[in-house]
Every structure is written in C-alpha cells, then in structure tokens.
Amino acid sequence: MDKNNNQLKGFNNFSKFIVFYMLLAIFMVYMYQYFFKTQVTQIPYSEFKSLIESGKVKSCTISEKYIHGVYINKDGDKIRFVTVVVRDPTLVKDLEKHHVKFSGKVTNTWLTNLIFGWILPFGFLFFIWWLMTRKMRGTSGGLFGLGKSRFKVYSNEKPDVKFSDVAGAEEAKQEIQEIVEYLKDPQRYQRLGGRAPKGVLLVGAPGVGKTLFAKATAGEAGVPFISISGSEFIEMFVGVGASRVRDLFNEAKKLSPCIVFIDEIDAIGKSRAVNSLTSNDEREQTLNQLLAEMDGFDSSKGVIIMAATNRPEILDPALMRPGRFDRQIIVDKPDLKGREEIFKVHMKKIKMANDVDIKRLAQMTPGLVGADIANIVNEAALLAARENRDAVYMEHFEEAIERQIAGLKKKNKVISKEEKERVAYHECGHAICAYLLPGADPVHKISIVPRGLSALGYTQQLPTDERYLITKEEMLDKVITLLGGRAAEEVVFKSISTGAQNDLSRATDIVRALVSQFGMDEKVGLVVIEERGGHFLTSEGILTKGDKVSEKTKELVDREVSRIMQECYEKAKTILTENMDKLDKLANELLKKEIINEEELKSIMEGSDGD
Ligand code: ADP
Ligand code: ZN
C-alpha cells in the first residue's frame, strides 16, 4: 500500500514538473521574441535600398550578418528594421549620399551565447536533478544529502498503539514484555542485572500483525518507532544501501531509547549461500553493514532492533548469532478464539447491529489473518453504508467474508474443507502414536491453523527432559510417530498425500543413523558406516579417504533402512486401526477447535469425558 502511494506521489510530482517546465519554456520563447524580434520589422534588402533612395532611412548599424536601423514610414513613425547583409559594394556610397548615419559593429554575441547556450540549459539540468533527488533525500539531509534514507520517523508522535489493539498473540506479548521493561528505562534495567537485549525477530505469515505488534511494543514502552522495509534499503540506488544502514543507526542513537523496525528483512538478510549464483554485492554490503552496526552499538543505549520476516529459513545464520537477532518470536496465524478477538478489536470503530454473531464470523474465517479480518470489517461497513443502513448487519459481514475468501482463493491461500479434514486426521495420527508410545516425546499441542506456506498443521512435541542417551526402542517410537501422520491418512481415506514429505525425511534420517552410525541393526552389525566421500583428517592426523564403504554395504544399509521404515509404518497403522474411535473423536474435536492442548488430548484418549 505504502509503496504504491509513494509511487503515485512521485508520479504526481513528475507531471507537475512537466507542466511547470512547459509553461516556463513557452514564457522564455515569448520573452525572447518580445525583446529581440517583435519590435523589429524584417524587410528585404531591396526594400532597404529603395528606402535609402527615398531618403527615409535615418540610421543603421551594419554587423557581420544583419543591418539594424530606423526608417520613417508614411505616417512619420520611426520604425526599427532589420535586414540581411548582402554583398553590396555601393552600399556605403549610397548611405553617404543620402546622409544616413551609419556605423559598423563586430557582432558581439558572447553574452547571449553564454546565457542561452550555457547558463540556462545547465540551470535546467541542475533544477531537474534537484527535483528528482528531493524525494530521495527525504526528511533528513540538505541539498547535497543524496543517499540519505527516507525512512519514516514517528519520532515526536510516538505510536499510540497499545497491546490491547493487538488481539490474541498472548504468548508473543508475554515474551516481549522484557523488552518493554528495558526500553522504559535502559539504565535501570541493566543496574538490576538484566542482559540488555538487542534484536528481536518476528516470524509469521504476511498480515498476522507483525508490524502492528512492533508498533505496539513502542507504544507500550512510550518510545519512538523508526521503521523501514528491507526492500527499500536495496531498491533505489546501488551503493547506498550500506550508508543508509549507517544513517538509520545514527538516527536511532539520537532518538534512543527507541525501536528500529525492519520489515521484510529477508530482502537484505537472505543467506549468502542460498543464491550464490545470483550473488548480489549490494545486498551483501548492506547486510554486512547491518551486522557491523548491530555489533557496534553499545547496548545500554536503548536501541532495540525488531525485524519481521515470513521466511526465517532463508535468513543468513549470521543474523541469528548472540548479540544480534538472538530472540525470535513467532506470531502465529490466529486460531478460532484469536479471530474472534481480532473481529472485536476492529468492530470497535463501527456501529454494529444486534444480529451479528462474532463467534460464527470467526468460524467462517479459518486460515485468515488479522489483515484479512480488518479488510472484512471494513468491507462490511462499506456495504452497509452503500445500502444506507443504520448499522452493519450480519448479512454484510457474510457478504464481505465471501468476497475476501474468493479473493484469497485466487491466490491459493485458503484450504478446502476436504484438505482440512485430511490435515486433521494426519496430525491426530501423529498425536495418538506419540501418546501411546512410551519412547515418543509427549504431545504439547496439535494445531491445524496453517503456518507459513508449507505446513498446514503441526503436532508439537516437547521432550520431557534433557537426554544424553536414546535407546533403540525410543528411536523406533519416534519413527512410528513421524509415520503416524501418513498412516492415519491411509487408514482413514485409503489414500495418501504429499503432506507427509517432511515427516518421511525426518524418519529416514533417524533410521539411517540407527543403522549406519549407532550400529543398532542386526544385519549391518556393529560398524559405523561413513558414507560421506572426500578426505578428512583422523584424530591421529592421518589423511584418509572417507568413502571406505563398498557398494554392497551401501545396498545392505539401504535395504535395512527401508525394511525398518516399512515395519514402523505397519506398526503405526496397527496402532491407529486399533484406536479408530479415538482417532475419529480427536480429529472431529480438532476440526472444531483448530488447536488441542495436552490436557484435552489426555481427556479424549482416556475417555474421561463420559462416553
Ligand atoms: P504484517 O506486518 O505481519 O504483515 P501488519 O501488522 O501489517 O501485518 O497487519 C496489517 C493489519 O492487520 C494491521 O494494521 C491490523 O489492522 C490488522 N491486524 C493484524 N493482526 C492483528 C491483530 N492481532 N489484532 C488486530 N488487528 C490486526
Ligand atoms: Zn506430519
């Protein structure tokens, strides 16, 4: 939105400039003619001669190309004239004969040449340059401050957004509380022994409210909020990205304590390895400058860098090192209850009819984020206004939701009912296996609120305690749990989907390690099989070739891995078939609530709710 506005403004400026330029040009031409042409009548040389003959010419000045002069016309008016010089040997004689005052003149045009040929054009060029760069210089910097960043500073007007304006996201609010305390009084915080935080990375899908959340953090702490988008750093001029980072941090130091917010940080912070083919020096310099600035400033200064991304996996790991963005806060897509809250926040601003059922609205909008809901409320209000109604009714919301979802469907953001059911069973498959198998980590949360682009749902397991040894049985239980998702799909829908790809690769990794690293497989036996090729130094300092495994052994490992995987998969299917009733119940509950926590899972699994 913002960017478009800027472009629009830029365009308006430009067209204004064009109009201005045209008017000025017309004016100049007119002036020129007025001073140098209009008062002077051009006459042919022959007429000039006959005017001399008839004694009408009073005086004339002869220069290299023209003859300027004055003659008297019939009415006795003095007329200034000009004519072109012709080779005429008798001219001087004629002039003398008729007593015309005349003088010669060396054409002296250097001044006009200077003005029209040099000063004016250069003046224009300079003017155009000045106009074009004015936009980029932004608020800071004088005439020659080219390359200064044009970030928006909300300096005097500290954001008045508060956490109460951000619905849901309770966990995130708690996590950020420490930062708020710090910003309120950096020195005091440090005196009390807190380690000064520096960078916070907000991770979440577009529109979940990351910007809003960062702004609200500034609002809660009562500090200025400086924001810039990562792509803005890079987009405009080559070579100034790094200097913009410097400017940004200088500005921040002046305003501290404050929050610097970098949206779309992935535009700068893309891992240097990710696209080494299309390496971008500009981006790299900017990134390096950012890292240097973050390392350089004194953390007691009270500058907190917040950054947002929806693709944390592509960020350069250097950004995540201690003293940089070492805190990450996940801003999830809202669940049922969260969506209800968001609806409420945005409905405060409009007049609501009594028939609006907010719970139902939340149910109608699975997978949508805060920005979508803000749009829906806005659209509903517009619809009501168009109909001249006294308030916004349920029908308006329903219509607005339909429109919003139709719009998103085009962008493939909404999952269908069938897909959702499949995801629910898939996740419950993981959860039930994890619950029943002693070796698997306990389930913390099951969710079918889509996250990011790939994961449609997830089952979060938390290890009970720090473990140093894992038994073979525990490893196999983990594998069965990982395969439980696909197993559930097969048992329930008699078909499988691509949704289990990540599960499969993680399960394969575990099994492969079991066979080739830990010597836990009977057939392969007690050996460590180093399958990586290349040379490396052994602990005795001998250069050895890593690949000392025969093709036959490799085949054996592959066979064993796939046999163990298959066995685990069969076990998962058996577990789920035996617990079909619980699987159904859990999946239905999940479809209703979208998120199921540990206790709810337990009560369903233990059947303690009565039936
Ligand atoms: P992001 O930065 O994650 O892309 P924004 O912060 O720009 O998302 O959110 C866009 C708009 O969506 C916000 O200005 C706000 O109106 C609305 N919004 C998003 N999340 C929430 C929320 N949790 N509570 C209230 N409004 C929200
Ligand atoms: Zn899965």
Side-chain angles (χ1 to χ4, degrees), residues 165-167 205-212 342 345-346 370-371 374:
D165 298 305
V166 188
V208 291
K210 298 183 292 294
T211 312
L212 184 70
I342 297 173
V345 165
H346 289 278

Side-chain angles (χ1 to χ4, degrees), residues 7-41:
Q7 273 163 5
L8 215 60
K9 252 183 249 156
F11 177 73
N12 281 344
N13 271 347
F14 189 64
S15 52
K16 257 188 229 156
F17 167 70
I18 293 284
V19 170
F20 175 72
Y21 181 85
M22 299 285 265
L23 286 176
L24 197 70
I26 292 168
F27 177 73
M28 294 292 302
V29 169
Y30 180 76
M31 287 298 282
Y32 182 80
Q33 289 195 335
Y34 182 79
F35 280 115
F36 295 92
K37 295 272 167 62
T38 44
Q39 284 185 327
V40 181
T41 324

